[in-house]
Amino acid sequence: MPAFALTALTGALLVAFYTGLYYVNDYRFPIGWDTARYLFHTNFIAERGFGTEIPHLLPLAEPLTANRPGFPVLALTLSSLFSTSTFRVATPIPLAGAIATALAVGAFASAALGLKRWEMLVVTLMAAVSAPLIRLLAPETYTDNLMAAAICMAALLPVMAVVKHGTSFVPAMILFGIGGIIHPVSLAIVLGALVITAIAYGPSSWREWRSGQVPLVATSSARLGLVLSGSAAVAGLGILALSPGGPDIRTVYRGELEKKLREDLPLYRFPLTLPLAGVGAAAVSAWRSRPPRWRLGGGFALVLLLSWAVVTAIGILLFVAGSDVSLHRFLAFFLPLPLLMGVGILALGRLLRSRTSVISGVLIVVFATGAFVFLGARDLYRTIPDERGIQWIDKGKIDDALTAGRYLDMTGVSANEPVVFVIDDHGPNPVVSVSQLIYVIAANLRPERTEQAHFYFGDPERYLQGKPTVRPGRPLYNQMSALLWRDIQPLIRTKPIALVLASYNPQYLETVSRHPELRTLNNTMVLNGPDPPTSKLRNLIPASGPLRILSLQLATLLVLFLAGLGWAIVLLPRGLRSREVLAVAPAVGIAFVVAAGVLLDRAGVRPAGLAAAATPLLIAIPGWVLAARRVVRTPDLFSTD
């Protein structure tokens, strides 16, 4: 099968797997607890650029700085290019990040071990359906982590050339640096693994230098050290350019971290997956690359993957020691696990083939891969939605928030005038649900409106009485109510504009029946403020059916692939097979589109509108020109099986 056809087939399988979540559960809007916050930040960046202060919206918390460029740049670029809303493109972006990561994992395994075409497909599928990628995707949707994972996995390809031949330093630094700008903690994990790898190569590097075989700077450890320092410098300079205050590192309180870890652990099925990964590690140490012209074989790959495991183990120890480390994210970023599992399945197939027959070896690989695809689909489609709950931004919430914004505009309410939204939730986790409700509202308001947005948590009747809402036996609920009340209490004496939105407060209908004198507009009730217009409003809801989601997903991947392919040919080391270069093209596309958006913003051009729509083309053209030049000048650029 030609390389392009194999890549297209693999991509199609991954698209079917991930978009199946929307089809099976009939989701019409983007999923993820964090997606509303991403969209809220995107609004600010579109209008004011990176580095601006973004209100936290929850009182007693410091404002955030807009220095996370990954999601906003892609959302503004794709929405402008496809002439649609950022809400619609918020669906394919994290899925594209997951797909790009799985493809990059397969490409790294193939390049390091000289895998055959179908073997690369197996490892890619195992990565795609694995607990780490599924967990990064749902229920919160860690989009920045997914982008950084894809880019860092792609960067490991030039790292192999760095260690073996002392080439490709700059490509590795560029890719790692962009990954760190998108998500610094993700880069820190990968660089930590490279630090341990450099230490592991220390004794052999010392012997080579002392014996006079190579200069000190040409040893494996020194070469890795140069990549580490250069990557950290690129990431650090990029982060400081976006925000002089440094990276935006968010913390979660210990109780929430423990809860997430307890809920996540069953997804990993460690009694099954760890032994299989152990088989894969043994196979990696024994396999030799095909062809051997420049590939490192199992040695470097095994040291790197085990070093990554050590970093994850350090995260576990820190968490056990009482540190507020997001251990569930350490586990979700442990990409060596599915890679080694895929290699383990292939090793079992090879063993069975050598001792029985080719058919039996193929069958065990097909059966084992299919079993993990089934388990992954069950986790993504059923277990997480049913047991954890996948938040998706439903039509009613978007509609009501848009109505509130239009009411404020139509009645001439100044953007400097405070507005109180009376929200409530009877669910088991008010700490999370309140943040979600607030960010969905904010994502549908103009930035200047959100700066004067305030939130009362509780019963509208209690708000009208000027009192906080307290519910017996609900300590977390009362804690959130009291927290928001501290912000509202000094404001309520001035009788600010106050609104109740039907989909944000279960007491909406009861309040309407109790207070027929209060005016309503669509599903928005005015507790205090100008009378709304009598006519109903029609909002254009950015809902997406399965076909639209599928078409947007395919279009997104195509844009990223075309934007990244030229640069992948330019940056990746000579000697890779064409299918490996094709597989990492979407990850490289993410990196360069985001980098271009940041550079435009720093040049004074906001990453929105026509400038955003043109970004993929502007970045793709020089990449394709340089790629054509390299292909012409280097006839043996790609190796063959």
Side-chain angles (χ1 to χ4, degrees):
M1 180 182 292
F4 183 81
L6 175 66
T7 304
L9 172 62
T10 307
L13 291 174
L14 302 189
V15 168
F17 177 77
Y18 287 117
T19 57
L21 170 65
Y22 283 83
Y23 178 80
V24 170
N25 294 283
D26 196 30
Y27 296 149
R28 300 301 181 95
F29 294 87
I31 65 167
W33 294 103
D34 289 1
T35 302
R37 176 171 51 81
Y38 283 127
L39 288 166
F40 165 51
H41 288 196
T42 299
N43 289 345
F44 265 85
I45 290 166
E47 183 174 299
R48 304 181 185 182
F50 292 103
T52 186
E53 272 197 356
I54 300 178
H56 195 284
L57 300 181
L58 287 173
L60 305 181
E62 295 296 325
L64 300 173
T65 302
N67 63 357
R68 289 279 188 92
F71 181 92
V73 169
L74 285 189
L76 294 170
T77 297
L78 296 173
S79 63
S80 300
L81 184 63
F82 301 151
S83 297
T84 188
S85 70
T86 54
F87 273 91
R88 278 201 172 120
V89 298
T91 296
I93 288 174
L95 303 187
I99 292 169
T101 301
L103 289 169
V105 169
F108 172 73
S110 176
L113 304 174
L115 301 181
K116 297 178 181 179
R117 290 180 174 86
W118 67 272
E119 291 175 329
M120 177 178 167
L121 174 61
V122 168
V123 175
T124 302
L125 288 176
M126 288 296 293
V129 304
S130 67
L133 277 187
I134 287 175
R135 185 58 190 85
L136 287 176
L137 187 63
E140 293 92 350
T141 307
Y142 298 131
T143 304
D144 287 342
N145 294 82
L146 288 166
M147 293 183 193
I151 296 168
C152 288
M153 287 303 307
L156 292 178
L157 294 174
V159 167
M160 290 193 295
V162 166
V163 175
K164 181 67 174 179
H165 293 303
T167 61
S168 300
F169 285 95
V170 173
M173 294 175 187
I174 290 174
L175 290 174
F176 277 137
I178 297 174
I181 293 170
I182 291 174
H183 198 268
V185 176
S186 296
L187 176 65
I189 292 174
V190 180
L191 293 189
L194 288 176
V195 168
I196 297 173
T197 302
I199 294 172
Y201 273 97
S204 61
S205 296
W206 175 262
R207 289 192 299 269
E208 290 176 351
W209 174 60
R210 292 291 293 172
S211 64
Q213 298 179 38
V214 296
L216 179 61
V217 295
T219 62
S220 298
S221 294
R223 288 171 175 175
L224 284 173
L226 183 58
V227 170
L228 287 164
S229 57
S231 301
V234 173
L237 290 173
I239 292 170
L240 290 176
L242 290 171
S243 172
D248 171 18
I249 305 298
R250 294 156 192 164
T251 58
V252 181
Y253 73 94
R254 177 80 183 188
E256 185 69 14
L257 293 174
E258 292 174 347
K259 181 179 78 71
K260 289 183 178 183
L261 181 61
R262 286 194 304 271
E263 293 172 338
D264 284 0
L265 285 176
L267 298 174
Y268 291 90
R269 300 182 176 88
F270 285 129
L272 171 64
T273 58
L274 287 180
L276 183 58
V279 173
V284 168
S285 66
W287 286 4
R288 294 295 180 265
S289 307
R290 301 184 308 269
R293 179 157 54 118
W294 76 275
R295 301 175 190 278
L296 292 170
F300 173 78
L302 182 61
V303 173
L304 174 63
L305 297 176
L306 292 180
S307 298
W308 199 326
V310 171
V311 172
T312 304
I314 292 172
I316 294 174
L317 292 175
L318 289 174
F319 185 83
V320 172
S323 176
D324 289 341
V325 173
S326 297
L327 182 55
H328 67 288
R329 292 212 195 195
F330 267 82
L331 294 178
F333 209 73
F334 187 38
L335 299 176
L337 179 64
L339 189 157
L340 291 174
M341 288 169 58
V343 174
I345 290 174
L346 295 175
L348 293 175
R350 288 187 181 188
L351 179 64
L352 196 59
R353 181 183 63 185
S354 64
R355 296 192 175 183
T356 55
S357 65
V358 173
I359 295 297
S360 60
V362 172
L363 287 178
I364 190 62
V365 171
V366 172
F367 174 79
T369 306
F372 278 102
V373 170
F374 170 78
L375 292 174
R378 189 178 68 177
D379 288 341
L380 183 60
Y381 300 169
R382 285 291 175 243
T383 302
I384 293 179
D386 294 347
E387 298 180 7
R388 305 280 293 276
I390 292 183
Q391 179 68 38
W392 56 291
I393 309 172
D394 63 69
K395 177 181 182 297
K397 286 185 171 56
I398 298 174
D399 196 2
D400 291 355
L402 288 174
T403 297
R406 294 178 68 185
Y407 157 77
L408 295 172
D409 292 338
M410 293 170 63
T411 55
V413 175
S414 169
N416 296 322
E417 190 170 346
V419 178
V420 176
F421 294 89
V422 181
I423 61 176
D424 201 1
D425 183 80
H426 294 171
N429 195 342
V431 176
V432 175
S433 60
V434 167
S435 299
Q436 176 72 6
L437 294 174
I438 289 174
Y439 281 123
V440 174
I441 291 175
N444 287 280
L445 297 178
R446 292 186 284 116
E448 57 270 23
R449 290 278 186 210
T450 60
E451 292 177 320
Q452 290 298 325
H454 302 264
F455 300 89
Y456 174 92
F457 186 48
D459 193 329
E461 194 71 37
R462 297 287 291 176
Y463 175 84
L464 290 172
Q465 297 170 7
K467 300 177 182 178
T469 299
V470 178
R471 300 193 186 280
R474 299 285 307 279
L476 283 179
Y477 180 99
N478 296 334
Q479 177 184 339
M480 289 305 301
S481 175
L483 175 65
L484 292 172
W485 176 250
R486 294 175 196 173
D487 177 55
I488 294 294
Q489 188 173 15
L491 185 66
I492 202 169
R493 300 187 186 95
T494 66
K495 295 188 176 180
I497 293 172
L499 305 176
V500 183
L501 314 183
S503 58
Y504 293 83
N505 201 308
Q507 284 83 37
Y508 177 85
L509 292 178
E510 181 181 345
T511 306
V512 169
S513 64
R514 284 185 179 182
H515 298 276
E517 74 280 3
L518 297 177
R519 299 290 301 277
T520 62
L521 176 67
N522 291 13
N523 289 319
T524 297
M525 178 169 53
V526 182
L527 295 182
N528 186 61
D531 287 342
T534 56
S535 60
K536 296 291 184 181
L537 296 178
R538 181 176 179 270
N539 292 314
L540 299 176
I541 307 304
S544 300
L547 290 179
R548 182 181 288 275
I549 290 173
L550 178 61
S551 62
L552 277 175
Q553 189 64 65
L554 293 173
T556 297
L557 283 174
L558 181 61
V559 168
L560 296 175
F561 176 82
L562 294 176
L565 180 58
W567 291 107
I569 294 172
V570 172
L571 295 177
L572 295 183
R574 174 181 174 181
L576 289 175
R577 290 169 289 188
S578 56
R579 64 174 177 271
E580 294 156 0
V581 177
L582 291 169
V584 299
V588 176
I590 292 173
F592 274 77
V593 169
V594 171
V598 171
L599 291 174
L600 285 174
D601 177 81
R602 296 297 84 185
V605 180
R606 294 287 173 262
L610 182 60
T615 298
L617 183 62
L618 293 175
I619 205 65
I621 289 176
W624 281 89
V625 170
L626 293 174
R629 181 173 177 267
R630 190 182 191 202
V631 170
V632 170
R633 293 191 173 189
T634 314
D636 59 344
L637 179 61
F638 304 115
S639 66
T640 57
D641 287 321

